């Protein structure tokens, strides 16, 4: 018997499962909450403690696994033979993996040319039937909604309530990892808006049963040219290098606004430049490699810190959590584009030393006594 067996086993009493539910799991969840000292400093507040919730450490490399284990388990319980999703990449990778494990057929509808390489590779190898439409994510989502209404195939996008139920365990885990403390500020990227909805539900449920006595402020971040909630209207042709959140008409729009308003939080926007700057900061200063969309949460944090937001808060000390939704390896092309080029040379000592910038003869090593 192993100790940790995924989010359904861990948080069973909070989830809609019964003894009859077949548990399809890859032991998702239990992801690290990593301190980020450089962000403490940037906040401008001496008592600030910032943590990165690294959801890239899930089995398929994103937070989607928390929702997918439940959505696929329930689909299996209900006798489904096939599942379908529209995706900017991560949902499809996760759906394909869990469907493979459950023995279900998986259909994936993707916006053509807009999926990061790692995600596409996953969905392909897991054996999903992939169809790329010459359009954007919002159009793909409309199509899969209609297919799942008319045909016998289960939708596993976050409109499926089991996805939200599974993903709310992220909030439980944060509180448990903080030893029962609720964060003061919760930073999170917003795309289709399921995840901010799920975290808010999780925090509220923990408060209802007395595990925490107050709630965090929810601070969601959209990319500047894909920011329908911030602008208050759908965006027909959303644009951003953070392809995971390139979404113009989020399915959970209203629920995200509830999370924002009930928590006295905000949903703001960050430019691609701010996203990439946070992406490089995290990898080069904190040693944490996330995908660009994930860095939107930290970009939002850095933006608010620079505006003096935290100094205006009435607290002496506070805990901030930034959700890093996906692993950096999902989008290797972007990582390479954002890095300096490497050099090549002959396989000779002198050539390597020259490129290393070492010209001097080596000092004699001391003999060991
Ligand atoms: N970060 C990553 C890495 C994502 O893949 C997504 C969504 C989000 C943030 C936004 O989360 O949609 O719940 O607001 N990806 C979906 C997909 C849309 O198809 O993989 P959200």
């Amino acid at each position: 018997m192993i100790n940790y067996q995924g989010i359904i086993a861990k948080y069973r009493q909070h989830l809609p499962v019964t003894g009859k539910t077949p548990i399809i799991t890859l032991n998702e969840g239990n992801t690290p909450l990593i301190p980020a000292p450089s962000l403490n400093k940037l906040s401008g507040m001496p008592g600030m403690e910032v943590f990165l919730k690294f959801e890239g450490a899930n089995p398929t490399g994103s937070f989607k696994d928390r929702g997918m284990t439940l959505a696929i388990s329930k689909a299996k319980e209900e006798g489904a033979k096939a599942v379908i999703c529209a995706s900017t990449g991560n949902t499809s990778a996760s759906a394909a993996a869990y469907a493979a494990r459950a023995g279900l057929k998986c259909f994936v509808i993707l916006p053509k040319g807009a999926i990061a390489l790692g995600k596409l590779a996953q969905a392909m190898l897991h054996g999903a039937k992939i169809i790329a439409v010459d359009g954007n994510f919002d159009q793909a989502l409309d199509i899969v909604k209609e297919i799942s209404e008319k045909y016998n195939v289960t939708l596993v996008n976050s409109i499926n309530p089991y996805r939200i139920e599974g993903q709310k365990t992220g909030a439980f885990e944060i509180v448990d990892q903080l030893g029962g403390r609720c964060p003061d500020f919760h930073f999170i990227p917003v795309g289709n808006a399921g995840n901010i909805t799920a975290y808010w539900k999780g925090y509220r449920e923990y408060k209802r049963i007395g595990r925490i006595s107050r709630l965090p402020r929810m601070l969601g971040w959209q990319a500047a040219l894909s920011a329908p909630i911030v602008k208050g209207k759908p965006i027909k042709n959303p644009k951003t290098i953070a392809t995971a959140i390139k979404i113009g008409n989020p399915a959970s729009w209203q629920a995200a606004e509830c999370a924002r308003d009930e928590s006295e939080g905000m949903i703001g926007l960050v430019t691609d430049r701010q996203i990439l700057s946070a992406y490089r900061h995290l990898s080069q200063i904190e040693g944490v490699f996330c995908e660009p969309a994930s860095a939107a949460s930290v970009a939002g944090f850095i933006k608010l810190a620079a505006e003096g937001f935290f100094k205006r808060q009435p607290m002496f000390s506070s805990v901030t959590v930034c959700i890093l939704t996906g692993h950096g390896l999902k989008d290797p092309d972007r990582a390479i584009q954002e890095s300096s080029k490497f050099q090549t040379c002959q396989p000779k000592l002198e050539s390597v030393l020259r490129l290393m910038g070492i010209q001097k003869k080596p000092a004699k090593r001391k003999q060991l006594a």
Side-chain angles (χ1 to χ4, degrees):
M1 219 18 198
I2 45 171
N3 277 337
Y4 185 80
Q5 296 175 57
I7 60 115
I8 298 180
K10 176 85 195 271
Y11 294 110
R12 196 177 181 93
Q13 75 269 32
H14 306 282
L15 297 171
V17 290
T18 67
K20 290 204 196 93
T21 315
I23 308 301
I24 312 297
T25 181
L26 291 165
N27 292 9
E28 59 296 310
N30 199 22
T31 56
L33 192 64
I34 308 169
S38 72
L39 298 181
N40 298 350
K41 222 186 258 166
L42 272 182
S43 76
M45 265 183 51
M48 171 72 88
E49 268 187 288
V50 185
F51 295 91
L52 308 167
K53 180 68 170 159
F54 188 49
E55 289 290 281
N58 274 298
T60 78
S62 86
F63 71 96
K64 306 285 179 180
D65 295 348
R66 291 181 187 276
M68 207 55 75
T69 178
L70 194 61
I72 296 288
S73 296
K74 293 303 280 189
K76 188 83 181 161
E77 180 180 355
E78 289 157 12
K81 295 282 176 276
V83 296
I84 190 168
C85 65
S87 183
T88 58
N90 281 323
T91 299
S92 64
S94 186
Y98 284 82
R101 205 169 169 86
L104 299 176
K105 204 165 167 49
C106 181
F107 296 97
V108 162
I109 317 297
L110 304 173
K112 192 175 143 201
I115 307 298
L117 195 63
K119 307 174 188 183
L120 191 59
Q122 290 176 284
M124 289 173 74
L125 192 66
H126 286 305
K129 170 86 184 164
I130 300 173
I131 298 161
V133 295
D134 210 351
N136 61 32
F137 169 81
D138 303 289
Q139 293 166 310
L141 186 60
D142 285 343
I143 293 168
V144 299
K145 275 200 268 189
E146 195 168 336
I147 292 174
S148 68
E149 279 158 19
K150 293 186 176 157
Y151 299 89
N152 199 10
V153 41
T154 303
L155 186 70
V156 292
N157 279 103
S158 58
I159 310 161
N160 179 328
Y162 296 126
R163 282 277 314 279
I164 304 292
E165 287 297 308
Q167 283 171 216
K168 75 184 180 188
T169 61
F172 299 163
E173 230 175 75
I174 289 172
V175 171
D176 294 347
Q177 287 172 319
L178 290 172
R181 180 165 180 176
C182 176
D184 299 282
F185 304 105
H186 178 104
F187 285 77
I188 185 166
V190 174
N192 213 21
N195 212 25
I196 189 171
T197 304
Y199 270 99
W200 183 235
K201 187 166 199 288
Y203 286 124
R204 276 180 310 152
E205 287 187 12
Y206 250 24
K207 176 155 184 282
R208 201 171 57 227
I209 60 169
R211 297 290 282 269
I212 46 177
S213 55
R214 49 183 189 76
L215 292 164
R217 289 173 73 179
M218 303 296 286
L219 303 141
W221 298 91
Q222 300 196 294
L225 299 180
S226 305
I229 300 178
V230 182
K231 303 280 184 194
K233 57 174 197 309
I235 308 291
K236 260 232 158 75
N237 185 17
K239 292 194 182 83
T240 171
I241 53 87
T243 51
I245 53 170
K246 193 171 154 191
I247 293 176
N249 191 14
S252 299
W253 188 320
Q254 278 186 330
E257 286 187 339
C258 278
R260 175 194 68 192
D261 299 339
E262 289 170 17
S263 74
E264 293 172 32
M266 65 177 286
I267 295 179
L269 54 82
V270 279
T271 62
D272 279 3
R273 188 192 281 255
Q274 289 170 319
I275 290 173
L276 289 174
S277 165
Y279 171 70
R280 288 189 306 265
H281 179 102
L282 286 168
S283 60
Q284 292 168 10
I285 312 286
E286 295 291 352
V288 176
F289 187 23
C290 67
E291 67 168 289
S294 306
S297 60
V298 172
F301 174 88
I302 294 172
K303 180 179 174 178
L304 289 193
E307 289 170 0
F309 172 86
F310 297 106
K311 288 191 187 142
R312 292 196 298 273
Q313 305 305 316
M315 310 164 176
F316 174 66
S317 71
S318 58
V319 170
T320 291
V321 174
C322 299
I323 309 297
L324 298 183
T325 45
H327 202 289
L329 288 171
K330 294 275 190 174
D331 194 351
D333 295 316
R334 178 57 57 183
I336 290 168
Q337 262 177 54
E338 291 302 308
S339 309
S340 42
K341 296 214 164 30
F342 58 83
Q343 296 166 297
T344 53
C345 68
Q346 293 300 313
K348 290 197 179 107
L349 183 69
E350 316 83 72
S351 315
V352 173
L353 284 174
R354 196 174 328 114
L355 291 183
M356 287 169 73
I358 297 176
Q359 270 117 27
K360 280 196 285 187
K361 288 227 157 98
K364 272 235 166 81
R365 278 177 183 264
K366 273 198 186 137
Q367 293 289 330
L368 288 176

